[in-house]
Short mmCIF file of all heavy atoms in Angstrom, two decimals:
data_model
loop_
_atom_site.label_atom_id
_atom_site.label_comp_id
_atom_site.label_asym_id
_atom_site.label_seq_id
_atom_site.Cartn_x
_atom_site.Cartn_y
_atom_site.Cartn_z
N PRO A 28 120.91 120.99 108.58
CA PRO A 28 120.37 121.08 107.22
C PRO A 28 121.29 120.39 106.22
O PRO A 28 122.51 120.38 106.37
CB PRO A 28 120.29 122.57 106.94
CG PRO A 28 120.98 123.27 108.06
CD PRO A 28 121.27 122.27 109.12
N SER A 29 120.69 119.84 105.19
CA SER A 29 121.49 119.20 104.15
C SER A 29 120.80 119.38 102.81
O SER A 29 119.59 119.61 102.74
CB SER A 29 121.67 117.71 104.46
OG SER A 29 120.44 117.05 104.36
N ASP A 30 121.57 119.30 101.75
CA ASP A 30 121.01 119.32 100.42
C ASP A 30 120.71 117.89 100.03
O ASP A 30 121.62 117.08 99.90
CB ASP A 30 122.00 119.91 99.41
CG ASP A 30 122.16 121.42 99.58
OD1 ASP A 30 121.21 122.05 100.08
OD2 ASP A 30 123.22 121.94 99.22
N GLY A 31 119.43 117.57 99.91
CA GLY A 31 119.05 116.20 99.57
C GLY A 31 119.29 115.92 98.10
O GLY A 31 119.13 116.78 97.25
N GLY A 32 119.66 114.71 97.83
CA GLY A 32 119.86 114.27 96.46
C GLY A 32 118.90 113.15 96.14
O GLY A 32 117.98 112.86 96.91
N LYS A 33 119.08 112.55 95.00
CA LYS A 33 118.22 111.44 94.59
C LYS A 33 118.96 110.14 94.82
O LYS A 33 120.14 110.01 94.51
CB LYS A 33 117.85 111.58 93.12
CG LYS A 33 116.99 112.78 92.85
CD LYS A 33 116.58 112.84 91.40
CE LYS A 33 115.69 114.04 91.16
NZ LYS A 33 115.20 114.10 89.78
N LEU A 34 118.25 109.16 95.38
CA LEU A 34 118.82 107.85 95.65
C LEU A 34 117.94 106.77 95.04
O LEU A 34 116.72 106.85 95.10
CB LEU A 34 118.92 107.59 97.15
CG LEU A 34 119.84 108.50 97.94
CD1 LEU A 34 119.57 108.35 99.42
CD2 LEU A 34 121.27 108.16 97.64
N PHE A 35 118.57 105.75 94.50
CA PHE A 35 117.86 104.59 93.97
C PHE A 35 118.39 103.39 94.74
O PHE A 35 119.59 103.12 94.73
CB PHE A 35 118.12 104.44 92.47
CG PHE A 35 117.40 103.30 91.84
CD1 PHE A 35 116.02 103.26 91.79
CD2 PHE A 35 118.10 102.25 91.28
CE1 PHE A 35 115.35 102.21 91.21
CE2 PHE A 35 117.45 101.19 90.69
CZ PHE A 35 116.07 101.17 90.64
N VAL A 36 117.52 102.69 95.45
CA VAL A 36 117.92 101.60 96.33
C VAL A 36 117.34 100.29 95.82
O VAL A 36 116.15 100.19 95.55
CB VAL A 36 117.43 101.86 97.77
CG1 VAL A 36 117.84 100.73 98.69
CG2 VAL A 36 117.95 103.19 98.29
N VAL A 37 118.20 99.29 95.68
CA VAL A 37 117.77 97.94 95.30
C VAL A 37 118.21 97.02 96.43
O VAL A 37 119.33 96.52 96.43
CB VAL A 37 118.39 97.49 93.95
CG1 VAL A 37 117.85 96.12 93.56
CG2 VAL A 37 118.11 98.52 92.87
N PRO A 38 117.35 96.84 97.44
CA PRO A 38 117.74 96.06 98.61
C PRO A 38 117.66 94.56 98.38
O PRO A 38 116.96 94.08 97.50
CB PRO A 38 116.71 96.48 99.66
CG PRO A 38 115.50 96.81 98.85
CD PRO A 38 116.01 97.39 97.56
N MET A 39 118.39 93.83 99.21
CA MET A 39 118.28 92.38 99.25
C MET A 39 117.12 92.03 100.18
O MET A 39 116.87 92.75 101.14
CB MET A 39 119.56 91.77 99.82
CG MET A 39 120.83 92.15 99.11
SD MET A 39 121.33 91.02 97.82
CE MET A 39 121.30 89.45 98.59
N VAL A 40 116.42 90.98 99.89
CA VAL A 40 115.33 90.53 100.76
C VAL A 40 115.93 89.93 102.03
O VAL A 40 116.97 89.30 101.99
CB VAL A 40 114.47 89.48 100.03
CG1 VAL A 40 113.39 88.93 100.96
CG2 VAL A 40 113.82 90.09 98.80
N GLY A 41 115.27 90.15 103.14
CA GLY A 41 115.72 89.54 104.40
C GLY A 41 116.37 90.55 105.31
O GLY A 41 116.04 91.72 105.32
N SER A 42 117.34 90.08 106.08
CA SER A 42 117.96 90.91 107.11
C SER A 42 118.66 92.13 106.52
O SER A 42 118.77 93.15 107.18
CB SER A 42 118.95 90.08 107.93
OG SER A 42 120.00 89.61 107.11
N HIS A 43 119.14 92.04 105.28
CA HIS A 43 119.77 93.20 104.65
C HIS A 43 118.78 94.36 104.59
O HIS A 43 119.14 95.51 104.85
CB HIS A 43 120.23 92.87 103.23
CG HIS A 43 121.28 91.82 103.18
ND1 HIS A 43 120.96 90.48 103.09
CD2 HIS A 43 122.62 91.89 103.24
CE1 HIS A 43 122.08 89.78 103.07
NE2 HIS A 43 123.10 90.60 103.16
N TRP A 44 117.54 94.06 104.26
CA TRP A 44 116.55 95.13 104.14
C TRP A 44 116.16 95.67 105.51
O TRP A 44 115.90 96.87 105.65
CB TRP A 44 115.30 94.65 103.40
CG TRP A 44 114.22 95.70 103.39
CD1 TRP A 44 112.98 95.59 103.95
CD2 TRP A 44 114.28 97.01 102.82
NE1 TRP A 44 112.27 96.75 103.77
CE2 TRP A 44 113.05 97.64 103.07
CE3 TRP A 44 115.26 97.72 102.13
CZ2 TRP A 44 112.77 98.93 102.65
CZ3 TRP A 44 114.97 99.01 101.71
CH2 TRP A 44 113.75 99.59 101.97
N LEU A 45 116.12 94.84 106.53
CA LEU A 45 115.73 95.30 107.86
C LEU A 45 116.64 96.42 108.35
O LEU A 45 116.18 97.41 108.93
CB LEU A 45 115.70 94.15 108.85
CG LEU A 45 114.66 93.07 108.58
CD1 LEU A 45 114.79 91.94 109.58
CD2 LEU A 45 113.26 93.65 108.58
N SER A 46 117.94 96.31 108.13
CA SER A 46 118.85 97.38 108.54
C SER A 46 118.88 98.50 107.52
O SER A 46 119.01 99.67 107.88
CB SER A 46 120.24 96.82 108.79
OG SER A 46 120.70 96.11 107.68
N MET A 47 118.73 98.19 106.25
CA MET A 47 118.77 99.21 105.20
C MET A 47 117.55 100.13 105.27
O MET A 47 117.65 101.32 104.98
CB MET A 47 118.83 98.54 103.84
CG MET A 47 118.81 99.49 102.69
SD MET A 47 120.25 100.54 102.67
CE MET A 47 121.00 100.01 101.19
N GLN A 48 116.40 99.62 105.68
CA GLN A 48 115.17 100.42 105.70
C GLN A 48 115.32 101.62 106.63
O GLN A 48 114.90 102.72 106.28
CB GLN A 48 113.98 99.56 106.14
CG GLN A 48 112.67 100.32 106.10
CD GLN A 48 111.48 99.46 106.44
OE1 GLN A 48 111.62 98.35 106.94
NE2 GLN A 48 110.31 99.96 106.17
N GLN A 49 115.94 101.46 107.77
CA GLN A 49 116.15 102.57 108.70
C GLN A 49 117.02 103.65 108.07
O GLN A 49 116.76 104.84 108.22
CB GLN A 49 116.76 102.08 110.00
CG GLN A 49 115.85 101.18 110.80
CD GLN A 49 116.54 100.63 112.04
OE1 GLN A 49 117.73 100.80 112.23
NE2 GLN A 49 115.78 99.95 112.87
N VAL A 50 118.06 103.23 107.37
CA VAL A 50 118.95 104.19 106.70
C VAL A 50 118.19 104.95 105.63
O VAL A 50 118.29 106.18 105.52
CB VAL A 50 120.17 103.45 106.09
CG1 VAL A 50 121.01 104.39 105.24
CG2 VAL A 50 121.00 102.81 107.18
N VAL A 51 117.41 104.24 104.82
CA VAL A 51 116.63 104.86 103.75
C VAL A 51 115.64 105.87 104.32
O VAL A 51 115.49 106.98 103.79
CB VAL A 51 115.91 103.77 102.91
CG1 VAL A 51 114.88 104.36 101.98
CG2 VAL A 51 116.93 102.96 102.14
N GLU A 52 114.95 105.52 105.40
CA GLU A 52 113.98 106.44 106.01
C GLU A 52 114.67 107.69 106.55
O GLU A 52 114.16 108.80 106.40
CB GLU A 52 113.19 105.72 107.09
CG GLU A 52 112.22 104.71 106.51
CD GLU A 52 111.49 103.87 107.54
OE1 GLU A 52 111.82 103.94 108.74
OE2 GLU A 52 110.60 103.10 107.13
N LYS A 53 115.85 107.55 107.16
CA LYS A 53 116.59 108.71 107.67
C LYS A 53 117.04 109.62 106.53
O LYS A 53 116.98 110.84 106.63
CB LYS A 53 117.81 108.27 108.49
CG LYS A 53 117.45 107.73 109.84
CD LYS A 53 116.91 108.84 110.72
CE LYS A 53 116.59 108.30 112.09
NZ LYS A 53 115.90 109.26 112.93
N LEU A 54 117.51 109.03 105.44
CA LEU A 54 117.92 109.82 104.28
C LEU A 54 116.74 110.61 103.71
O LEU A 54 116.88 111.76 103.32
CB LEU A 54 118.54 108.93 103.22
CG LEU A 54 119.92 108.38 103.56
CD1 LEU A 54 120.32 107.29 102.57
CD2 LEU A 54 120.96 109.48 103.61
N SER A 55 115.57 109.97 103.70
CA SER A 55 114.36 110.65 103.24
C SER A 55 114.02 111.83 104.14
O SER A 55 113.68 112.91 103.66
CB SER A 55 113.19 109.66 103.19
OG SER A 55 112.01 110.31 102.81
N GLU A 56 114.14 111.63 105.45
CA GLU A 56 113.88 112.72 106.40
C GLU A 56 114.82 113.90 106.17
O GLU A 56 114.46 115.04 106.43
CB GLU A 56 114.06 112.22 107.84
CG GLU A 56 112.98 111.29 108.33
CD GLU A 56 113.28 110.72 109.71
OE1 GLU A 56 114.18 111.24 110.40
OE2 GLU A 56 112.62 109.74 110.08
N LYS A 57 116.02 113.63 105.68
CA LYS A 57 117.02 114.68 105.46
C LYS A 57 116.85 115.35 104.10
O LYS A 57 117.67 116.17 103.70
CB LYS A 57 118.42 114.12 105.61
CG LYS A 57 118.71 113.69 107.04
CD LYS A 57 120.17 113.36 107.21
CE LYS A 57 120.47 112.98 108.64
NZ LYS A 57 120.55 114.11 109.52
N GLY A 58 115.78 114.99 103.37
CA GLY A 58 115.48 115.67 102.12
C GLY A 58 115.83 114.93 100.85
O GLY A 58 115.65 115.46 99.77
N HIS A 59 116.36 113.74 100.96
CA HIS A 59 116.68 112.96 99.77
C HIS A 59 115.41 112.39 99.17
O HIS A 59 114.49 112.00 99.89
CB HIS A 59 117.63 111.81 100.11
CG HIS A 59 118.98 112.27 100.54
ND1 HIS A 59 119.99 112.58 99.65
CD2 HIS A 59 119.50 112.47 101.77
CE1 HIS A 59 121.06 112.95 100.32
NE2 HIS A 59 120.79 112.89 101.61
N GLU A 60 115.36 112.34 97.85
CA GLU A 60 114.27 111.67 97.16
C GLU A 60 114.72 110.23 96.95
O GLU A 60 115.71 109.99 96.26
CB GLU A 60 113.99 112.34 95.81
CG GLU A 60 112.88 111.68 95.04
CD GLU A 60 112.65 112.33 93.68
OE1 GLU A 60 113.01 113.50 93.49
OE2 GLU A 60 112.13 111.62 92.81
N VAL A 61 114.02 109.29 97.56
CA VAL A 61 114.45 107.89 97.55
C VAL A 61 113.43 107.04 96.80
O VAL A 61 112.23 107.11 97.06
CB VAL A 61 114.60 107.35 98.99
CG1 VAL A 61 115.07 105.91 98.97
CG2 VAL A 61 115.56 108.22 99.80
N VAL A 62 113.93 106.24 95.86
CA VAL A 62 113.12 105.25 95.15
C VAL A 62 113.67 103.88 95.50
O VAL A 62 114.88 103.64 95.37
CB VAL A 62 113.17 105.47 93.62
CG1 VAL A 62 112.39 104.37 92.90
CG2 VAL A 62 112.63 106.83 93.25
N VAL A 63 112.81 103.00 95.97
CA VAL A 63 113.22 101.64 96.35
C VAL A 63 112.59 100.67 95.36
O VAL A 63 111.38 100.67 95.16
CB VAL A 63 112.76 101.30 97.79
CG1 VAL A 63 113.13 99.87 98.14
CG2 VAL A 63 113.39 102.27 98.79
N LEU A 64 113.41 99.86 94.73
CA LEU A 64 112.95 98.83 93.81
C LEU A 64 112.86 97.53 94.58
O LEU A 64 113.86 97.04 95.10
CB LEU A 64 113.92 98.68 92.64
CG LEU A 64 113.56 97.65 91.59
CD1 LEU A 64 112.27 98.03 90.87
CD2 LEU A 64 114.70 97.48 90.60
N MET A 65 111.65 96.99 94.70
CA MET A 65 111.48 95.75 95.46
C MET A 65 110.60 94.76 94.71
O MET A 65 109.77 95.15 93.90
CB MET A 65 110.91 96.04 96.85
CG MET A 65 109.54 96.65 96.90
SD MET A 65 108.88 96.89 98.58
CE MET A 65 110.04 97.97 99.33
N PRO A 66 110.81 93.46 94.97
CA PRO A 66 110.00 92.45 94.30
C PRO A 66 108.54 92.51 94.75
O PRO A 66 108.25 92.93 95.86
CB PRO A 66 110.65 91.13 94.73
CG PRO A 66 111.35 91.44 96.00
CD PRO A 66 111.76 92.87 95.92
N GLU A 67 107.66 92.09 93.87
CA GLU A 67 106.23 92.06 94.22
C GLU A 67 105.95 91.12 95.38
O GLU A 67 105.02 91.33 96.14
CB GLU A 67 105.39 91.64 93.01
CG GLU A 67 105.31 92.67 91.93
CD GLU A 67 104.54 92.20 90.71
OE1 GLU A 67 104.48 90.98 90.45
OE2 GLU A 67 104.00 93.05 90.02
N VAL A 68 106.72 90.06 95.50
CA VAL A 68 106.55 89.08 96.57
C VAL A 68 107.72 89.19 97.53
O VAL A 68 108.87 89.07 97.14
CB VAL A 68 106.49 87.64 95.99
CG1 VAL A 68 106.44 86.62 97.10
CG2 VAL A 68 105.29 87.50 95.08
N SER A 69 107.41 89.45 98.81
CA SER A 69 108.46 89.62 99.80
C SER A 69 107.90 89.40 101.19
O SER A 69 106.71 89.60 101.43
CB SER A 69 109.03 91.04 99.69
OG SER A 69 109.94 91.28 100.73
N TRP A 70 108.77 88.99 102.13
CA TRP A 70 108.33 88.81 103.51
C TRP A 70 108.28 90.12 104.27
O TRP A 70 107.29 90.48 104.85
CB TRP A 70 109.28 87.89 104.27
CG TRP A 70 109.24 86.47 103.88
CD1 TRP A 70 108.16 85.64 103.91
CD2 TRP A 70 110.32 85.69 103.41
NE1 TRP A 70 108.52 84.39 103.48
CE2 TRP A 70 109.84 84.40 103.18
CE3 TRP A 70 111.66 85.96 103.17
CZ2 TRP A 70 110.64 83.37 102.71
CZ3 TRP A 70 112.46 84.95 102.71
CH2 TRP A 70 111.95 83.67 102.48
N GLN A 71 109.39 90.82 104.33
CA GLN A 71 109.51 91.96 105.22
C GLN A 71 109.46 93.31 104.54
O GLN A 71 109.36 94.33 105.21
CB GLN A 71 110.83 91.87 106.00
CG GLN A 71 110.89 90.65 106.86
CD GLN A 71 112.18 89.88 106.63
OE1 GLN A 71 112.80 89.99 105.59
NE2 GLN A 71 112.57 89.09 107.59
N MET A 72 109.55 93.37 103.26
CA MET A 72 109.64 94.66 102.58
C MET A 72 108.25 95.27 102.44
O MET A 72 107.41 94.76 101.74
CB MET A 72 110.31 94.47 101.22
CG MET A 72 111.70 93.89 101.36
SD MET A 72 112.42 93.40 99.79
CE MET A 72 113.04 94.97 99.26
N LYS A 73 108.06 96.36 103.15
CA LYS A 73 106.76 97.04 103.16
C LYS A 73 106.93 98.44 102.58
O LYS A 73 108.00 99.03 102.60
CB LYS A 73 106.23 97.16 104.59
CG LYS A 73 106.15 95.84 105.34
CD LYS A 73 105.12 94.92 104.76
CE LYS A 73 104.99 93.66 105.60
NZ LYS A 73 104.96 92.46 104.90
N THR A 74 105.83 98.99 102.11
CA THR A 74 105.86 100.36 101.61
C THR A 74 105.65 101.33 102.77
O THR A 74 105.11 100.97 103.81
CB THR A 74 104.77 100.58 100.54
OG1 THR A 74 103.50 100.32 101.13
CG2 THR A 74 104.97 99.65 99.36
N THR A 75 106.08 102.54 102.57
CA THR A 75 105.92 103.59 103.56
C THR A 75 105.86 104.93 102.85
O THR A 75 106.19 105.02 101.66
CB THR A 75 107.08 103.57 104.58
OG1 THR A 75 106.91 104.63 105.51
CG2 THR A 75 108.42 103.72 103.91
N GLN A 76 105.48 105.96 103.54
CA GLN A 76 105.40 107.30 102.97
C GLN A 76 106.79 107.91 102.80
O GLN A 76 106.95 108.91 102.12
CB GLN A 76 104.55 108.19 103.87
CG GLN A 76 103.15 107.68 104.09
CD GLN A 76 102.14 108.41 103.24
OE1 GLN A 76 102.40 109.49 102.74
NE2 GLN A 76 100.97 107.82 103.09
N ALA A 77 107.81 107.33 103.43
CA ALA A 77 109.16 107.91 103.43
C ALA A 77 109.85 107.80 102.07
O ALA A 77 110.77 108.55 101.80
CB ALA A 77 110.01 107.26 104.51
N TYR A 78 109.44 106.86 101.23
CA TYR A 78 110.12 106.67 99.95
C TYR A 78 109.14 106.17 98.90
O TYR A 78 108.07 105.67 99.21
CB TYR A 78 111.30 105.71 100.08
CG TYR A 78 110.99 104.43 100.83
CD1 TYR A 78 110.38 103.35 100.21
CD2 TYR A 78 111.31 104.32 102.18
CE1 TYR A 78 110.09 102.20 100.92
CE2 TYR A 78 111.04 103.17 102.89
CZ TYR A 78 110.43 102.11 102.26
OH TYR A 78 110.15 100.96 102.95
N ILE A 79 109.53 106.32 97.65
CA ILE A 79 108.73 105.84 96.52
C ILE A 79 109.09 104.38 96.28
O ILE A 79 110.26 104.01 96.31
CB ILE A 79 109.05 106.66 95.26
CG1 ILE A 79 108.71 108.14 95.50
CG2 ILE A 79 108.32 106.11 94.04
CD1 ILE A 79 109.31 109.07 94.47
N VAL A 80 108.09 103.55 96.07
CA VAL A 80 108.32 102.13 95.83
C VAL A 80 107.95 101.78 94.40
O VAL A 80 106.87 102.13 93.92
CB VAL A 80 107.49 101.26 96.80
CG1 VAL A 80 107.60 99.78 96.44
CG2 VAL A 80 107.90 101.50 98.23
N LYS A 81 108.86 101.13 93.73
CA LYS A 81 108.61 100.55 92.41
C LYS A 81 108.79 99.05 92.57
O LYS A 81 109.75 98.60 93.20
CB LYS A 81 109.60 101.08 91.37
CG LYS A 81 109.55 102.57 91.18
CD LYS A 81 108.28 103.00 90.51
CE LYS A 81 108.31 104.51 90.27
NZ LYS A 81 107.08 104.98 89.70
N THR A 82 107.87 98.27 92.04
CA THR A 82 107.98 96.81 92.17
C THR A 82 108.30 96.19 90.82
O THR A 82 108.08 96.78 89.77
CB THR A 82 106.68 96.19 92.70
OG1 THR A 82 105.61 96.50 91.82
CG2 THR A 82 106.35 96.71 94.09
N TYR A 83 108.84 94.99 90.89
CA TYR A 83 109.09 94.22 89.68
C TYR A 83 108.53 92.81 89.90
O TYR A 83 108.51 92.30 91.01
CB TYR A 83 110.58 94.19 89.32
CG TYR A 83 111.48 93.57 90.36
CD1 TYR A 83 111.79 92.22 90.33
CD2 TYR A 83 112.01 94.34 91.38
CE1 TYR A 83 112.62 91.65 91.28
CE2 TYR A 83 112.85 93.79 92.34
CZ TYR A 83 113.15 92.45 92.28
OH TYR A 83 113.97 91.90 93.24
N PRO A 84 108.04 92.19 88.82
CA PRO A 84 107.45 90.86 88.96
C PRO A 84 108.52 89.80 89.21
O PRO A 84 109.66 89.92 88.76
CB PRO A 84 106.77 90.63 87.60
CG PRO A 84 107.50 91.53 86.66
CD PRO A 84 107.97 92.70 87.46
N VAL A 85 108.12 88.80 89.97
CA VAL A 85 108.98 87.64 90.23
C VAL A 85 108.20 86.38 89.93
O VAL A 85 106.96 86.39 89.93
CB VAL A 85 109.51 87.62 91.68
CG1 VAL A 85 110.45 88.78 91.93
CG2 VAL A 85 108.39 87.67 92.69
N SER A 86 108.90 85.29 89.71
CA SER A 86 108.22 84.05 89.33
C SER A 86 107.74 83.24 90.52
O SER A 86 106.97 82.31 90.36
CB SER A 86 109.15 83.19 88.47
OG SER A 86 110.32 82.89 89.19
N GLN A 87 108.16 83.59 91.75
CA GLN A 87 107.75 82.84 92.94
C GLN A 87 106.55 83.47 93.61
O GLN A 87 106.40 84.69 93.65
CB GLN A 87 108.88 82.81 93.97
CG GLN A 87 110.04 81.92 93.60
CD GLN A 87 111.06 81.92 94.71
OE1 GLN A 87 111.50 82.97 95.15
NE2 GLN A 87 111.44 80.74 95.16
N THR A 88 105.70 82.61 94.17
CA THR A 88 104.62 83.08 95.03
C THR A 88 105.17 83.15 96.46
O THR A 88 106.25 82.63 96.74
CB THR A 88 103.42 82.12 95.00
OG1 THR A 88 103.83 80.88 95.59
CG2 THR A 88 102.89 81.90 93.60
N LEU A 89 104.43 83.76 97.35
CA LEU A 89 104.86 83.84 98.74
C LEU A 89 104.95 82.44 99.35
O LEU A 89 105.86 82.14 100.12
CB LEU A 89 103.90 84.72 99.56
CG LEU A 89 104.34 85.07 100.97
CD1 LEU A 89 105.72 85.71 100.98
CD2 LEU A 89 103.34 85.97 101.64
N GLU A 90 104.04 81.54 98.98
CA GLU A 90 104.06 80.18 99.49
C GLU A 90 105.32 79.45 99.03
O GLU A 90 105.94 78.71 99.79
CB GLU A 90 102.81 79.41 99.04
CG GLU A 90 101.52 79.90 99.66
CD GLU A 90 100.99 81.19 99.01
OE1 GLU A 90 101.30 81.47 97.83
OE2 GLU A 90 100.28 81.92 99.71
N GLU A 91 105.72 79.64 97.78
CA GLU A 91 106.95 79.02 97.28
C GLU A 91 108.18 79.59 97.97
O GLU A 91 109.12 78.85 98.28
CB GLU A 91 107.07 79.23 95.76
CG GLU A 91 106.04 78.46 94.96
CD GLU A 91 106.03 78.86 93.48
OE1 GLU A 91 106.35 80.02 93.17
OE2 GLU A 91 105.68 77.99 92.67
N LEU A 92 108.15 80.87 98.23
CA LEU A 92 109.25 81.51 98.95
C LEU A 92 109.37 80.94 100.35
O LEU A 92 110.46 80.63 100.82
CB LEU A 92 109.02 83.02 99.00
CG LEU A 92 110.17 83.92 99.40
CD1 LEU A 92 111.37 83.72 98.48
CD2 LEU A 92 109.72 85.36 99.39
N ASP A 93 108.23 80.78 101.02
CA ASP A 93 108.21 80.16 102.36
C ASP A 93 108.77 78.75 102.31
O ASP A 93 109.54 78.34 103.18
CB ASP A 93 106.80 80.13 102.94
CG ASP A 93 106.32 81.50 103.39
OD1 ASP A 93 107.16 82.40 103.62
OD2 ASP A 93 105.09 81.67 103.52
N GLY A 94 108.38 77.99 101.30
CA GLY A 94 108.80 76.60 101.18
C GLY A 94 110.28 76.45 100.89
O GLY A 94 110.89 75.43 101.22
N SER A 95 110.87 77.46 100.28
CA SER A 95 112.30 77.36 99.93
C SER A 95 113.19 77.50 101.17
O SER A 95 114.35 77.15 101.15
CB SER A 95 112.68 78.42 98.91
OG SER A 95 112.60 79.71 99.46
N LEU A 96 112.62 78.01 102.25
CA LEU A 96 113.40 78.12 103.49
C LEU A 96 112.94 77.06 104.45
O LEU A 96 113.46 76.74 105.41
CB LEU A 96 113.26 79.50 104.10
CG LEU A 96 113.89 80.60 103.28
CD1 LEU A 96 113.60 81.96 103.91
CD2 LEU A 96 115.39 80.42 103.16
#
């Protein structure tokens, strides 16, 4: 058992989020209230029931993001 607290997560897009998402989901399971701030346009960042998602607008479309790599 643990006393859950409130967490605000601002992840980086890409591989940083892939490893961070598992940590965030585990913290949520342990009773933490987690809010994740993510861009409206992203490759891998998906919403889930484990945490609250707030989005912010970005100037790139998904096609432009693809083209930049």
Side-chain angles (χ1 to χ4, degrees):
S29 68
D30 288 334
K33 294 183 179 184
L34 296 166
F35 182 64
V36 180
V37 183
M39 304 267 308
V40 176
S42 63
H43 297 89
W44 175 243
L45 295 177
S46 54
M47 177 64 115
Q48 183 176 13
Q49 293 176 353
V50 172
V51 168
E52 289 174 353
K53 286 292 182 188
L54 288 169
S55 178
E56 288 174 15
K57 294 189 178 283
H59 293 276
E60 179 182 337
V61 181
V62 176
V63 177
L64 180 65
M65 63 177 60
E67 289 177 334
V68 175
S69 174
W70 289 302
Q71 298 129 336
M72 300 170 83
K73 306 293 185 226
T74 60
T75 178
Q76 301 259 342
Y78 47 82
I79 299 165
V80 173
K81 300 290 183 183
T82 60
Y83 60 92
V85 293
S86 60
Q87 287 183 308
T88 66
L89 189 55
E90 292 78 25
E91 291 170 331
L92 194 58
D93 286 340
S95 67
L96 293 175

